[in-house]
Amino acid sequence: MIRIAVPNKGSLADASIAILKEAGYRQRVDARDLVLLDPDNGVEFYYLRPRDIAIYVGSGELEAGITGRDLLIDSGAPANEILELGFGGSTFRFAGPAAVKLSISDLNGKRIATAYPGLVQNFLAKNSIKADVVRLDGAVESSVRLGVADVIADVVSTGNTLRQAGLKIFGEPILNSEAVLIKNASQADGLEILIRRLQGVVTARQYVLLDYDIPKSALDRACELTPGLESPTISPLQKADWVAVRAMVPRQDTNAVMDDLWTIGARGILVTDIHACRL
């Protein structure tokens, strides 16, 4: 029985449950449930605070878990990232007073407020910067105004909260984070099916299946537009000088590809969602 940690709340919780369901696993229906057994798949799910998941996995109590890359690095736990899951994206940045021009080199000797001390200390060490890290559990934007810190390091989305606090971003991103599947650093076996299933869902979300009919005279150009992952599937039609083509196309390119196919003579262009795949 493989034991897997799932975020029990926060921005990663619902998306984590959704991807596991799409991968064919049972998930809890009551948010108060802390443990769920999925005997058909040989998995036991534990619903934990996202910040604690890397600790449980790193200790070996659980074999795998879903958490944020930022939380994994911040924990310092002996756990490894094994798969990007394509949701929960965020950027971790430094910010300081809007009226002051700052750069990363200016961090020397500064007080940096953050809810991610491990992550910040790791960055400072890699860049040979000596600064004091002030750990706060939240609302770090107020720390500069209240005199607790000189700058902050925090997750940034739109930046509106920073601007309201009189702060502005400076320097390159400390980290680009997203939801990831992690495993214990010494765990080697037993996760192949889980990884393959989740990878299938991640890939399926990135692509659609495109079907269309095309005159043989335009087939070479059509295949350039829809090369597929290896090559498109081409089938004969009753109409002798036409063929049917099927190929996987990046979801974000779908409408542009359809426009180009129409221009070169393709007709009957159909788009189908892919719910899961094995490639």
Side-chain angles (χ1 to χ4, degrees), residues 133-206:
V133 177
V134 180
R135 178 171 185 167
L136 298 175
D137 286 335
V140 296
E141 298 87 356
S142 301
S143 63
V144 175
R145 180 175 295 174
L146 294 174
V148 174
D150 303 303
V151 299
I152 71 167
D154 202 11
V155 174
V156 176
S157 52
T158 64
N160 288 335
T161 304
L162 293 178
R163 285 189 288 273
Q164 292 172 2
L167 303 175
K168 68 176 180 181
I169 294 167
F170 67 89
E172 294 298 316
I174 305 169
L175 177 73
N176 291 314
S177 182
E178 67 176 287
V180 294
L181 179 69
I182 65 173
K183 72 176 184 67
N184 179 273
S186 61
Q187 173 73 26
D189 302 318
L191 300 177
E192 296 83 0
I193 292 177
L194 172 68
I195 295 170
R196 191 159 55 243
R197 285 190 182 190
L198 290 177
Q199 180 64 74
V201 175
V202 171
T203 303
R205 289 176 172 182
Q206 295 172 348

Side-chain angles (χ1 to χ4, degrees), residues 62-75:
L62 303 177
E63 284 75 33
I66 295 175
T67 189
R69 180 180 294 124
D70 51 353
L71 296 173
L72 168 62
I73 296 173
D74 187 59
S75 73

